[in-house]
Amino acid sequence: MIPEGTPGRIIAAWRKRNFDLVVSEPMLEEIARVLAYPKIRKRLNWDDETISRYIALLRFEAEVVSVEGVKANVPADPDDNQLLATLIASKADWLITGDCDFDDLYELHPIIAPGEFVRRYL
């Protein structure tokens, strides 16, 4: 991750305890899966052990909420239902995502793009 990039700045702010991070087990699984993509592994220069330690850090330092039984619908991509369910279950202030599949949901849920989050809060 590029520290001065938008995702890097958000992670750094979280690590400094500028805000609380909320995740769910499905989110942690997705993060681990994405970090294992060859392109991502190469860019970060992370091996399996580093990825496992990062997921353990998230599990330990973030609030992990259950999404069991939470109804969520992302019409553009049902695979993203678990992400929206995490927002709903946690009652978090924001879901920070740049995924355009959430564009039609901005008026229904507190969703913010990463760049906008950085501009407003960091």
Side-chain angles (χ1 to χ4, degrees), residues 19-114:
F19 60 89
D20 295 324
L21 179 66
V22 180
V23 295
S24 62
E25 285 300 327
M27 283 181 69
L28 291 169
E29 291 167 11
E30 175 73 3
I31 292 166
R33 188 177 66 78
V34 169
L35 289 174
Y37 289 167
K39 179 172 87 172
I40 303 295
R41 291 170 74 99
K42 182 178 179 183
R43 183 173 185 169
L44 295 174
N45 195 28
W46 285 12
D47 58 16
D48 289 341
E49 183 179 328
T50 304
I51 293 169
S52 292
R53 283 195 322 257
Y54 185 72
I55 297 302
L57 171 76
L58 290 174
R59 188 173 278 114
F60 181 74
E61 292 196 10
E63 178 184 349
V64 181
V65 297
S66 172
V67 294
E68 189 174 326
V70 177
K71 303 253 189 262
N73 184 30
V74 180
D77 185 358
D79 288 341
D80 287 331
N81 288 349
Q82 296 293 343
L83 185 57
L84 183 59
T86 304
L87 171 68
I88 294 167
S90 69
K91 298 181 174 97
D93 293 334
W94 296 106
L95 168 61
I96 304 169
T97 181
D99 187 337
C100 62
D101 291 334
F102 288 88
D103 287 354
D104 293 337
L105 300 173
Y106 281 90
E107 292 187 21
L108 300 173
H109 301 282
I111 299 170
I112 190 168

